[in-house]
Amino acid sequence: MTIRGVLFDVDGTLYDYEKAEEAGLHEHLVAEGLSARFESPAEALRVWREVREEEYPRFLNGELTFAAQKAARIRRFLAHAGVVGALEWTDEAATAWFASYAVQRDASRQAFDDAQLALGALAGRFRLGVVSNSVTAHQRAKLDAIGLLGYFTEPLVCSQEHGSAKPAASIFLAGCEALGLTPAEVAYVGDDYEKDAVGARDAGLQAVWLDRSASGGSGAVDADIRVIASLTELMSL
């Protein structure tokens, strides 16, 4: 069936989250006088991301609120840095520390170089939307800040408000419904092979895996999943 709409993941697909995260963490640790607590900026980033990868899924599965997972991450990260009493910090104190870090992170946020070019080319031919494992207000503000919000149909579909996270089929189907299209008429583009590509394919959408590093992932790619190394390749849809 002809593709009439395209849904996008945000972080790692349109927004260079990891670059902003790295810069923001480094600047904030320097400002807080904590950079010397780690062997190197790379080690601090490794610990930060390790904690994130363990705590963020607790938000996605409903165990923690979006704010609570931030607080949990900060307590664990600062405890690893040797900050006395960090594990006993209140949610308010930990969330305030995260908010200060986020100011530094957001000062560096930007879209990937290929995002606006691709979206500009697609906007006149397809209905465009977002399906993201996050919070709607958070992702809307982010897309607005990096100059991409205007390309997308509202509402953005995010896991917090939808009630389920990728790779659940229901969130992809909700995205199709937001576009007013059937799953077979919609392509989904994301950088996570399992959550984005396999999840979208299993929900009946046409899956596109964005493999920017051209790494091929950890195993064979299913034949019914298209692989691209740049969003500009979508211009041939």
Side-chain angles (χ1 to χ4, degrees), residues 8-15 112 189-191 196 210 212 231:
F8 288 87
D9 169 56
V10 177
D11 298 333
T13 299
L14 300 171
Y15 166 54
F112 282 103
V189 184
D191 68 304
D196 294 330
L210 176 61
R212 289 189 180 278
L231 293 175

Side-chain angles (χ1 to χ4, degrees), residues 191-202:
D191 68 304
D192 187 301
Y193 182 73
E194 294 294 335
K195 292 178 182 176
D196 294 330
V198 174
R201 187 274 312 278
D202 289 351

Side-chain angles (χ1 to χ4, degrees), residues 20 25 27 34 38 47 51 68 83-85 90 100 103 123 127 137 170 172 180 183 190 210 230 232 235 237:
L25 180 64
E27 293 298 327
L34 295 174
F38 297 91
V47 174
V51 172
V83 175
V84 176
T90 64
S100 295
V103 170
R127 303 177 197 177
S170 64
F172 293 105
L210 176 61
S230 169
T232 56
M235 295 161 68
L237 282 176

Side-chain angles (χ1 to χ4, degrees), residues 11 66 70 105 134-143:
D11 298 333
F66 192 58
K70 293 179 182 178
R105 178 200 64 198
S134 188
V135 176
T136 300
H138 181 67
Q139 297 300 69
R140 182 181 287 113
K142 182 186 300 177
L143 289 167

Side-chain angles (χ1 to χ4, degrees), residues 2-237:
T2 301
I3 295 175
R4 298 176 59 201
V6 185
L7 293 168
F8 288 87
D9 169 56
V10 177
D11 298 333
T13 299
L14 300 171
Y15 166 54
D16 194 348
Y17 180 83
E18 291 198 349
K19 183 176 181 180
E21 178 185 56
E22 180 176 4
L25 180 64
H26 175 69
E27 293 298 327
H28 190 52
L29 290 178
V30 170
E32 292 287 309
L34 295 174
S35 57
R37 304 262 183 145
F38 297 91
E39 293 180 1
S40 65
E43 174 61 11
L45 185 63
R46 183 196 66 78
V47 174
W48 177 265
R49 288 178 174 169
E50 181 178 275
V51 172
R52 167 167 59 84
E53 290 304 309
E54 293 175 0
E55 295 295 337
Y56 198 74
R58 298 176 66 198
F59 155 65
L60 294 179
N61 67 26
E63 182 181 347
L64 295 176
T65 66
F66 192 58
Q69 62 85 24
K70 293 179 182 178
R73 287 163 58 185
I74 296 309
R75 283 191 286 262
R76 288 185 56 191
F77 177 74
L78 293 181
H80 191 283
V83 175
V84 176
L87 291 177
E88 285 70 52
W89 278 24
T90 64
D91 281 358
E92 290 76 11
T95 300
W97 198 97
F98 190 101
S100 295
Y101 146 74
V103 170
Q104 301 283 3
R105 178 200 64 198
D106 292 351
S108 300
R109 63 186 174 186
Q110 61 185 32
F112 282 103
D113 291 341
D114 55 2
Q116 190 153 20
L117 180 63
L119 292 175
L122 296 174
R125 300 164 50 212
F126 302 97
R127 303 177 197 177
L128 306 180
V130 164
V131 169
S132 174
N133 281 355
S134 188
V135 176
T136 300
H138 181 67
Q139 297 300 69
R140 182 181 287 113
K142 182 186 300 177
L143 289 167
D144 190 30
I146 62 177
L148 301 182
L149 182 62
Y151 290 108
F152 297 107
T153 301
E154 291 281 5
L156 309 182
V157 178
C158 293
S159 59
Q160 170 70 24
E161 291 75 20
H162 174 69
S164 296
K166 298 178 295 183
S170 64
I171 193 168
F172 293 105
L173 298 180
C176 296
E177 183 177 354
L179 296 183
L181 299 171
T182 65
E185 295 176 298
V186 178
Y188 186 83
V189 184
D191 68 304
D192 187 301
Y193 182 73
E194 294 294 335
K195 292 178 182 176
D196 294 330
V198 174
R201 187 274 312 278
D202 289 351
L205 287 73
Q206 300 191 43
V208 181
W209 177 40
L210 176 61
D211 180 20
R212 289 189 180 278
S213 65
S215 66
S218 58
V221 176
D222 293 342
D224 54 357
I225 292 175
R226 179 179 176 184
V227 182
I228 59 174
S230 169
L231 293 175
T232 56
E233 294 179 55
L234 296 173
M235 295 161 68
S236 65
L237 282 176

